[in-house]
Amino acid sequence: MPAKDVYHDVVVQALIADGWTITDDPLYLAYGGRNLYVDLGAERDTIAAEKDSQKIAVEIKSFLSLSPIRDLQEAVGQYDIYRTVLLELESERLLYLAIPQRVYESLFSERFGQLILNRIQICLIVFDEEQARIVRWIN
């Protein structure tokens, strides 16, 4: 099983504070003889009158290396693989990439970052790592 991201506990706290229940830590996926581990699986009940719930998978990335572009390449590759397998196994579960607010403001809010988000259609959870709260959901 892979090591937890440095912000793992922060994202767990932020999701719980936002009304989510952590169901899997990590979310295990097996396909074609391969084992994958998405950082978190979570769900939240929708409107009380409905008997349905929202399900998400969350991959957490810290972007702490010297090259944010290299971090982005790794995150996007991992995101695409997880999204592809989730579509086969749990198509109702939406995949999010959780990133610190500083990364969103420096990389993803730039023209280059917006191009990547829009073309690859990455869903983001932007979190404040100091306050352990979610500041933005981007679908």
Side-chain angles (χ1 to χ4, degrees):
M1 196 163 358
K4 291 182 179 182
D5 187 89
V6 68
Y7 293 124
H8 185 91
D9 294 337
V10 169
V11 173
V12 167
Q13 290 173 8
L15 286 168
I16 291 170
D18 202 48
W20 292 88
T21 300
I22 305 302
T23 57
D24 302 275
D25 186 358
L27 174 63
Y28 171 72
L29 304 173
Y31 189 87
R34 300 293 178 174
N35 300 320
L36 303 170
Y37 298 91
V38 183
D39 289 322
L40 298 170
E43 59 184 71
R44 175 169 64 183
D45 291 331
T46 54
I47 300 171
E50 299 176 17
K51 298 263 186 208
D52 214 356
S53 64
Q54 295 175 294
K55 292 183 178 183
I56 61 173
V58 180
E59 183 59 26
I60 305 162
K61 292 297 175 196
S62 58
F63 285 79
L64 292 174
S65 80
L66 295 176
S67 172
I69 297 301
R70 182 70 184 139
D71 285 345
L72 180 61
Q73 290 170 329
E74 290 178 18
V76 167
Q78 196 170 9
Y79 182 91
D80 269 344
I81 289 170
Y82 290 165
R83 180 172 50 188
T84 301
V85 173
L86 276 169
L87 283 170
E88 286 293 312
L89 299 177
E90 297 187 44
S91 60
E92 75 284 357
R93 191 180 294 270
L94 188 57
L95 178 63
Y96 282 88
L97 182 64
I99 60 167
Q101 186 173 9
R102 66 173 168 73
V103 174
Y104 179 78
E105 290 172 354
S106 65
L107 178 62
F108 286 97
S109 64
E110 296 173 354
R111 186 172 177 213
F112 175 80
Q114 288 295 303
L115 174 69
I116 300 305
L117 282 179
N118 294 327
R119 293 289 182 166
I120 300 175
Q121 298 179 343
I122 297 172
C123 296
L124 288 181
I125 296 173
V126 181
F127 62 91
D128 181 320
E129 63 265 34
E130 292 176 12
Q131 296 182 12
R133 66 179 181 92
I134 295 172
V135 295
R136 178 178 272 175
W137 292 84
I138 300 172
N139 290 352

